[in-house]
Amino acid sequence: QNIVIRVVPNDGFAGGYAIQSTPFSLANDHFVSALAQQNIRSGHTAVLFDGKMYVWGGESTSGELLNTMDIYDLRSGVWSRGKSGGTARKHHTASVFSGKIYFFGGEGAFSRLATLDVFDINEQSWSEAAFSPTARRGHSATLYNGKIYVWGGFGFQGEMNTLDVYDIESNQ
């Protein structure tokens, strides 16, 4: 079995942004050439599904909000570009369920967001769910029994201690 180590520089310059890494193969004792991550970003989310990591949203080093997706194949060690879409945002959450990724809340170009964008991995399509929770950023979300539980964060009036629940099956 070929074991690959990702070498990530730690020069103190990244400032919280995802930075490029270089794979090193233990079996062949050399650096492997691979595509670098397509967007350096912060405030993004990442989820794992079917051996791939889907990285979406966030903010570029120039401060531009992103709605782009980068996909890292854990088996091959290769980055690729996914389908862009959804509302550009940062400090949001992402949950994956049954081949769909749910991106909630965060901060958009002008304000905190209360929208839920859905990316269907198999169909490679974007949609917006009919969910009307409290707008927030910097919150947490967890998925249990087909429901996404969104907790805390920062709303328009400051810190929040409220819970919103989205039922995936009923789309509410």
Side-chain angles (χ1 to χ4, degrees):
Q1 179 179 358
N2 185 21
I3 298 174
V4 176
I5 298 172
R6 307 248 4 131
V7 179
V8 180
N10 185 9
D11 61 5
F13 183 72
Y17 291 91
I19 54 178
Q20 295 178 3
S21 61
T22 305
F24 182 83
S25 171
L26 292 178
N28 299 323
D29 197 27
H30 71 280
F31 283 93
V32 179
S33 61
L35 293 174
Q37 180 177 354
Q38 309 241 353
N39 284 307
I40 296 176
R41 57 178 85 215
S42 68
H44 57 280
T45 52
V47 297
L48 293 174
F49 181 77
D50 195 27
K52 295 180 181 178
M53 178 175 66
Y54 294 81
V55 180
W56 182 84
E59 179 179 23
S60 71
T61 55
S62 66
E64 174 190 7
L65 290 177
L66 302 171
N67 71 344
T68 57
M69 182 177 293
D70 294 320
I71 303 168
Y72 181 69
D73 188 313
L74 297 165
R75 294 177 199 100
S76 68
V78 174
W79 284 99
S80 62
R81 175 70 71 159
K83 184 172 182 179
S84 297
T87 302
R89 61 183 80 201
K90 62 182 178 180
H91 306 301
H92 55 284
T93 54
S95 304
V96 64
F97 181 76
S98 193
K100 294 182 180 179
I101 308 172
Y102 298 83
F103 301 97
F104 172 71
E107 193 166 334
F110 304 106
S111 182
R112 286 164 181 73
L113 299 171
T115 56
L116 180 65
D117 290 328
V118 182
F119 179 69
D120 186 314
I121 295 169
N122 294 323
E123 299 294 324
Q124 292 290 297
S125 64
W126 285 91
S127 62
E128 188 173 322
F131 183 45
S132 299
T134 308
R136 58 183 83 204
R137 69 169 179 82
H139 53 282
S140 61
T142 191
L143 189 128
Y144 177 72
N145 238 11
K147 296 180 181 177
I148 300 173
Y149 295 83
V150 179
W151 170 256
F154 293 89
F156 293 113
Q157 305 299 318
E159 293 178 347
M160 302 172 64
N161 66 349
T162 58
L163 176 70
D164 287 314
V165 180
Y166 172 69
D167 186 312
I168 293 172
E169 186 176 323
S170 68
N171 193 28
Q172 296 182 20

